[in-house]
Amino acid sequence: MLFLGNNWGSSRARITMKLALLPLLALYLGFISGEASRNVSSRPAVVNIGAVFTFNSTIGRAAKVAINAAMDDVNADSSVLQGTKLAITMQDSNCNGFLGIVEALQFMEVDIIAIVGPQCSTIAHILCHVGNELQVPMLSFAATDPSLSSLQFPFFVRTTQSDAFQMAAIAEMLEYYQWKQVIAVFFDDDYGRNGIAALGDELAERRCRISYKAALPPEATRSDITELLVKVALMESHVIVLHANPTTGLEVLYVAHFLEMMGNGYVWIATDWLASRLDSFAPLAPETMSTMQGVLTLRQHTPDSKRKSALVSKWRMLTKKENSGNFQLNSYGLYAYDTVWMIARAIDAFFNDGGRISFSNDSRLHDVKGGALHLEAMSVFDGGKLLLDEIRKTNFTGITGQVQFDSDGNLIHPAYDIINVVGTGMRTVGYWSNYSGLSVVPPETLYSKPPNHSAANQQLYSVIWPGETTTKPRGWVFPNSGKELRIGVPNRVSYKQFVSKDPVTGTVKGYCIDVFTAAVSLLPYAVPYKLIPFGNGRENPSYAGLANMVASNVFDAAVGDIAIVTNRTKIVDYTQPYIESGLVVLAPVKRHHSNAWAFLQPFTVEMWCVTGLFFLVVGAVVWILEHRINDEFRGPPRKQLATVFWFSFSTLFFAHRENTVSTLGRAVLIIWLFVVLIIQSSYTASLTSILTVQQLSSPIRGIDSLRTTNEPIGFQVGSFAENYMVEELNISRSRLKALGSPEEYARALELGPDNGGVAAVVDERPYIEMFLEANCKFSIIGSEFTKSGWGFIFPRDSPLAVDLSTAILSLSENGDLQRIHDKWLTTGTCSTATDELDSDRLHLNSFWGLFLICGVACFLALFIFFMLMLRQYLQHASEGEAEPSSQGNSRSGRSLHRFLSFVDDKEEDVKNRSKRRQMQKTTDNGTADIES
């Protein structure tokens, strides 16, 4: 590098003098060294650092004042460097790469140990190589290019937030407002190009994308900007992210306003350059503010604190001291202020850990033969690695908040204010942080709570958008180039009611087409389109192929009877389903005619057996409860048995003549009559259905029974049913037979599997219902075994798919969708035939609760009855004479026999015997007294 002027001469003279004194210095220190060591000190009086940035810029003006203020504050605080003074030499790079290199190399000749800057990302990419070679840390408060990583440039320390976080904030804003496509306008340098690349990565994670990258040359003229924005205005997306520098960014907004791109429907999101400009020079001129109404911009968030307020309050005095003009403090000035404090604290820690400021010649530069470049004059900072480690370990609270680095070399807690430009100023509509995403609460408040990135937790205040509206812009329009949408339509040869091409006129019509045109008519904008038939006209086309053509941009969309299938959703987007669908089984059925034994069909065998058993049980229980007190339940054994049977079965018709007298008997009978009522009503209803409704049967019970056989299965040509049965149901493809029309359906089903036909056909319900209108000898077996619907296909992330889905929902709500269905798809009598071919017989599990109640009632009644009988028997036995002694077994047998006889006796006879026994006892006692 060639250096001209007195600076180079004086620098070379200093170097010569130091080299001459080197031997004396080495002897004085007591060692001999082959290196050319210079300026060795443990804690010198002054520490020199450099600063490279653009003085005459929005960021540089604030940074210059802030750096000098920080240097004064550090030197005034003896506890920081313990007596050592900090000296900062500034160089103006003018954001010029060549000048920046020259000035940085000049710094390396005067033995500085760190550089504040550079400001521009473009210069930083170049100077970082110098910093790596000479081991001089570079602390940049404004180079936000995400590609400036600590891995490639270990001596580059970013003391502000990386644009990777700013782009993440913009991506979350786009996701919050549900915009899927964005146009990026940027200046094609390292700063612009790498920032937009980071935005593309963040959008891809959220299934969004940059639809067009509008790059401008770094020295773009107004004509360049106008030409580019005219192209942007003709594009579909109207969400624009502007990533530029303050001067040229304002020029872009001015041209956009001139081209009427700041009106309704547009969204402009500017990166933090705009907030810096507004913070520094607000209020701007009214004509300037009018060009950016409704724009969203971001500002690096710095929490409020007393130190920040103190710096802001004395800012006007500082600018007067520097004679820098009238401007305010911006966020980059705050980070520049903290950067100086970061260097001061790191230098203090460097000295405390035994670091010394010394420099050595770089042997590789010394060996370079380059004429008058004199690269050997630059030296390597021996303590560079130690100072860099101290900087990386920095941890203090500055005016920008907590100053600390993470493992990737980024400042912790990255956060941004989201600002809406309105009127003559700005209003904050929310915040973003990588801790909790979007919120209306300052990030420092959320750090004390668990992180929450859920969609429900993302919040922003209302925004006034371009055009002075609070309604969220749609964010896209159809291009003004007049290009029609190329819409592929299946050219069907069967079931033409859904969609077909008229062979005479060439027009496309059908149920699906009417739904599409009705939905398009509800859109708030015009949609030019052209329907293009897809297929050879001899057989139904492949719907998977149609979806692939949309995915590959051969068609802009596809409209028709297209099922929503999982595999297709991976490559295209569907609208809201406009008709329900699902795969069903179609099979031939046989009609059942009623026979002589049809009256037995309502109940199963188990139901008949249990019902008959309970008739006998209830009759026996009532007989037991009534036998002792009711003459109608007494008599010879043959008569009593007949009474039990008669009473039991006569309750079926509520025709029993015997009256119940006992309370327990009546309770049991009431419960039983209720059970009989339910059983009789159910039987009557089931028998009526059996005798009046046509019953159908088929050996196939549904898809499960069809899978277990080896019989052939039919499917419609072009349908997804083929791959579904093979891939999901594991049915061999050799069993499947393609059928192209309803006539082929009927013929194959009539032939059957033994005669070259099929056992059943698997197809979607709308087709089968249409088929059944004219074919009543077939029926749907079982129920649907898939649940889906039909929708229209669009490319991935197409905004038109979202709007059409909303229109389809409106058609459903206002009844137009049903009217279109009734127009094309009439329902015949056969299509409503029952899906269940087995008759609905009544099973025991439908009545077990009633039988349980009745059984428990009978048991409780018998238990109470026998307890009462046992008590009466014991009283009766105590009144009688003592039995003669005998063996235990014979005595027990006689007791049981006497108890059963007692129970069998009529209660009135038992009471009479008891009275006679008591009278006999009274008489005997009187006779004994007389004799006595």
Side-chain angles (χ1 to χ4, degrees):
M1 182 66 64
L2 179 63
F3 299 97
L4 302 177
N6 294 331
N7 288 338
W8 166 240
S10 60
S11 176
R12 188 172 184 181
R14 289 197 304 271
I15 296 171
T16 304
M17 292 176 62
K18 292 177 183 178
L19 290 174
L21 294 174
L22 180 61
L24 296 176
L25 182 62
L27 292 173
Y28 178 77
L29 295 174
F31 67 91
I32 298 176
S33 174
E35 287 184 312
S37 297
R38 306 172 300 174
N39 194 23
V40 179
S41 176
S42 59
R43 189 180 280 272
V46 178
V47 176
N48 296 311
I49 63 174
V52 179
F53 56 92
T54 303
F55 293 171
N56 188 26
S57 66
T58 300
I59 295 175
R61 289 188 185 93
K64 184 177 180 181
V65 177
I67 290 173
N68 284 327
M71 180 179 65
D72 293 340
D73 291 344
V74 168
N75 291 332
D77 190 346
S78 59
S79 64
V80 180
L81 288 175
Q82 302 178 23
T84 300
K85 298 298 182 181
L86 191 65
I88 303 177
T89 304
M90 301 183 188
Q91 294 281 8
D92 187 1
S93 67
N94 290 312
C95 272
N96 184 289
F98 176 77
L99 293 179
I101 295 172
V102 172
E103 290 157 359
L105 293 177
Q106 288 177 346
F107 276 145
M108 303 308 174
E109 298 174 17
V110 295
D111 301 340
I112 64 171
I113 65 172
I115 293 179
V116 176
Q119 171 186 330
C120 299
S121 298
T122 302
I123 299 177
H125 276 278
I126 301 172
L127 296 189
C128 282
H129 294 285
V130 179
N132 289 350
E133 180 67 25
L134 303 182
Q135 298 186 7
V136 175
M138 295 185 175
L139 293 82
S140 178
F141 58 88
T144 56
D145 181 358
S147 65
L148 291 168
S149 66
S150 59
L151 295 177
Q152 183 182 7
F153 306 116
F155 282 85
F156 174 80
V157 180
R158 195 195 321 272
T159 60
T160 187
Q161 301 296 347
S162 168
D163 273 342
F165 299 112
Q166 182 172 202
M167 297 308 171
I170 293 176
E172 288 205 23
M173 290 167 58
L174 295 172
E175 183 182 32
Y176 174 78
Y177 290 113
Q178 299 179 348
W179 294 315
K180 294 297 184 181
Q181 297 184 25
V182 64
I183 294 176
V185 178
F186 62 98
F187 286 86
D188 196 12
D189 55 11
D190 290 330
Y191 163 73
R193 188 168 48 251
N194 295 328
I196 295 303
L199 175 62
D201 295 339
E202 294 291 340
L203 290 176
E205 294 180 4
R206 296 163 175 81
R207 287 192 61 185
C208 304
R209 66 186 181 92
I210 300 175
S211 60
Y212 180 65
K213 294 182 179 180
L216 286 165
E219 302 297 332
T221 63
R222 179 170 292 188
S223 61
D224 294 332
I225 297 173
T226 303
E227 182 180 354
L228 183 67
L229 290 186
V230 168
K231 294 180 182 179
V232 171
L234 296 176
M235 293 182 178
E236 180 179 290
S237 176
H238 275 193
V239 180
I240 302 170
V241 174
L242 179 56
H243 189 46
N245 57 64
T247 302
T248 50
L250 291 177
E251 187 71 16
V252 172
L253 294 179
Y254 174 82
V255 175
H257 183 264
F258 176 78
L259 296 176
E260 297 182 352
M261 297 175 65
M262 284 290 176
N264 287 330
Y266 280 93
V267 177
W268 283 84
I269 301 176
T271 49
D272 59 0
W273 63 266
L274 180 57
S276 299
R277 183 76 176 189
L278 294 174
D279 286 339
S280 298
F281 301 103
L284 299 179
E287 58 272 15
T288 303
M289 293 300 297
S290 65
T291 64
M292 59 183 74
Q293 292 298 301
V295 175
L296 289 177
T297 184
L298 289 87
R299 178 203 294 135
Q300 298 178 85
H301 178 74
T302 54
D304 295 331
S305 64
K306 292 182 179 180
R307 294 187 60 192
K308 178 180 174 181
S309 299
L311 181 61
V312 173
S313 62
K314 67 178 181 179
W315 184 257
R316 183 177 297 274
M317 180 185 65
L318 294 174
T319 55
K320 288 182 179 180
K321 177 181 177 183
E322 298 287 339
N323 294 321
S324 301
N326 185 18
F327 58 89
Q328 303 300 319
L329 180 62
N330 57 44
S331 61
Y332 285 101
L334 298 175
Y335 279 100
Y337 183 90
D338 273 354
T339 300
V340 176
W341 276 90
M342 184 187 303
I343 294 176
R345 292 175 181 273
I347 292 174
D348 185 58
F350 171 80
F351 288 141
N352 291 336
D353 289 344
R356 293 173 178 270
I357 298 178
S358 63
F359 298 86
S360 301
N361 289 335
D362 191 334
S363 59
R364 289 180 293 183
L365 293 177
H366 185 75
D367 294 337
V368 173
K369 306 298 181 182
L373 292 179
H374 300 289
L375 298 177
E376 71 278 2
M378 290 180 290
S379 55
V380 178
F381 177 31
D382 296 331
K385 291 185 178 180
L386 177 59
L387 179 59
L388 178 65
D389 290 341
E390 300 296 347
I391 293 173
R392 294 291 186 190
K393 292 187 291 185
T394 297
N395 186 358
F396 70 97
T397 301
I399 59 176
T400 60
Q402 186 68 24
V403 181
Q404 185 181 355
F405 295 98
D406 60 17
S407 58
D408 295 327
N410 296 313
L411 289 176
I412 63 172
H413 300 323
Y416 287 85
D417 302 334
I418 301 173
I419 297 169
N420 186 203
V421 181
V422 181
T424 59
M426 305 176 292
R427 56 186 289 264
T428 301
V429 296
Y431 307 90
W432 176 90
S433 69
N434 70 335
Y435 188 78
S436 294
L438 302 174
S439 71
V440 294
V441 179
E444 57 269 18
T445 305
L446 299 175
Y447 294 148
S448 59
K449 303 176 182 179
N452 188 350
H453 272 275
S454 64
N457 193 55
Q458 306 300 294
Q459 292 181 349
L460 290 176
Y461 290 123
S462 61
V463 174
I464 299 178
W465 303 99
E468 298 184 358
T469 177
T470 57
T471 302
K472 186 197 78 172
R474 190 171 63 250
W476 70 279
V477 294
F478 277 99
N480 295 327
S481 58
K483 178 183 176 183
E484 293 180 327
L485 288 179
R486 300 160 299 170
I487 298 180
V489 178
N491 188 12
R492 296 191 59 87
V493 297
S494 62
Y495 299 112
K496 294 186 176 182
Q497 297 92 331
F498 295 106
V499 59
S500 65
K501 175 185 176 182
D502 192 315
V504 179
T505 62
T507 59
V508 182
K509 60 182 181 179
Y511 165 72
C512 303
I513 303 302
D514 280 6
V515 173
F516 175 73
T517 55
V520 168
S521 67
L522 295 179
L523 297 179
Y525 47 85
V527 180
Y529 62 88
K530 180 181 180 181
L531 300 178
I532 303 174
F534 172 72
N536 55 23
R538 296 185 298 274
E539 62 180 8
N540 294 332
S542 170
Y543 286 70
L546 182 58
N548 289 329
M549 295 185 73
V550 174
S552 58
N553 294 322
V554 176
F555 290 133
D556 297 316
V559 172
D561 50 338
I562 307 170
I564 301 175
V565 182
T566 303
N567 290 337
R568 298 174 193 166
T569 58
K570 297 177 181 178
I571 59 174
V572 294
D573 279 351
Y574 280 89
T575 63
Q576 171 80 15
Y578 58 89
I579 187 173
E580 292 183 357
S581 180
L583 293 178
V584 294
V585 177
L586 175 71
V589 294
K590 294 181 180 180
R591 303 182 184 278
H592 280 297
H593 299 284
S594 60
N595 53 39
W597 302 100
F599 69 91
L600 295 176
Q601 293 181 6
F603 288 165
T604 61
V605 175
E606 295 83 0
M607 184 64 184
W608 280 117
C609 293
V610 172
T611 302
L613 178 62
F614 262 82
F615 272 110
L616 297 177
V617 169
V618 171
V621 169
V622 172
W623 179 84
I624 293 173
L625 298 177
E626 297 289 325
H627 177 67
R628 300 187 72 243
I629 60 177
N630 194 338
D631 292 337
E632 294 182 358
F633 288 88
R634 299 189 62 82
R638 181 179 298 177
K639 178 185 176 183
Q640 294 183 41
L641 183 62
T643 300
V644 169
F645 277 93
W646 163 255
F647 181 83
S648 299
F649 291 100
S650 62
T651 56
L652 178 62
F653 311 101
F654 306 99
H656 52 283
R657 293 176 298 176
E658 293 78 10
N659 295 320
T660 53
V661 178
S662 67
T663 302
L664 293 176
R666 289 176 177 176
V668 171
L669 184 60
I670 288 174
I671 295 175
W672 173 242
L673 290 179
F674 174 74
V675 173
V676 169
L677 176 64
I678 300 300
I679 294 175
Q680 185 186 58
S681 302
S682 302
Y683 175 86
T684 303
S686 180
L687 182 61
T688 302
S689 175
I690 291 173
L691 296 178
T692 58
V693 178
Q694 180 66 58
Q695 298 297 305
L696 307 175
S697 68
S698 171
I700 299 171
R701 292 293 179 265
I703 189 62
D704 292 331
S705 64
L706 191 61
R707 290 173 57 188
T708 58
T709 67
N710 292 320
E711 296 176 339
I713 305 171
F715 67 92
Q716 184 180 177
V717 174
S719 172
F720 76 96
E722 177 185 11
N723 289 333
Y724 182 86
M725 287 188 285
V726 173
E727 297 172 2
E728 302 296 333
L729 303 181
N730 297 320
I731 296 176
S732 173
R733 196 178 294 273
S734 60
R735 293 179 56 192
L736 305 182
K737 185 175 182 179
L739 304 173
S741 65
E743 293 75 16
E744 291 186 24
Y745 281 20
R747 186 164 51 254
L749 290 171
E750 288 173 351
L751 290 175
D754 297 331
N755 299 314
V758 296
V761 172
V762 174
D763 204 354
E764 296 178 71
R765 179 177 283 276
Y767 301 123
I768 298 301
E769 290 179 346
M770 187 68 64
F771 171 81
L772 290 176
E773 289 184 4
N775 297 271
C776 295
K777 53 187 175 182
F778 307 101
S779 182
I780 297 174
I781 308 299
S783 58
E784 290 180 350
F785 54 91
T786 66
K787 291 290 184 182
S788 62
W790 290 353
F792 305 136
I793 288 180
F794 288 88
R796 293 296 296 271
D797 302 323
S798 171
L800 185 56
V802 178
D803 287 357
L804 268 182
S805 295
T806 304
I808 290 172
L809 288 175
S810 298
L811 290 176
S812 177
E813 292 171 357
N814 62 26
D816 288 345
L817 198 60
Q818 184 61 43
R819 282 188 285 271
I820 297 173
H821 181 278
D822 296 340
K823 172 185 174 182
W824 289 95
L825 310 177
T826 58
T827 303
T829 56
C830 296
S831 62
T832 58
T834 179
D835 290 343
E836 286 293 335
L837 300 182
D838 289 336
S839 58
D840 293 330
R841 307 183 70 185
L842 300 176
H843 296 267
L844 178 61
N845 55 7
S846 300
F847 298 92
W848 71 267
L850 289 172
F851 288 126
L852 178 62
I853 294 173
C854 185
V856 171
C858 292
F859 174 78
L860 292 177
L862 289 176
F863 179 77
I864 296 172
F865 174 78
F866 281 109
M867 289 296 100
L868 294 174
M869 289 300 99
L870 181 60
R871 189 184 67 174
Q872 291 180 12
Y873 173 73
L874 294 176
Q875 292 177 353
H876 177 75
S878 63
E879 296 173 356
E881 298 178 356
E883 295 183 5
S885 62
S886 60
Q887 295 182 356
N889 291 337
S890 61
R891 184 176 180 180
S892 299
R894 286 195 300 270
S895 297
L896 178 61
H897 178 71
R898 293 184 61 187
F899 175 73
L900 294 177
S901 299
F902 174 80
V903 172
D904 184 60
D905 289 342
K906 190 174 182 180
E907 185 173 359
E908 185 178 353
D909 296 340
V910 173
K911 291 180 178 180
N912 291 334
R913 285 200 304 269
S914 178
K915 291 179 180 180
R916 287 196 300 268
R917 188 179 299 113
Q918 290 179 358
M919 292 176 62
Q920 183 65 36
K921 281 186 176 181
T922 303
T923 303
D924 292 343
N925 290 335
T927 304
D929 291 340
I930 294 172
E931 292 177 351
S932 171

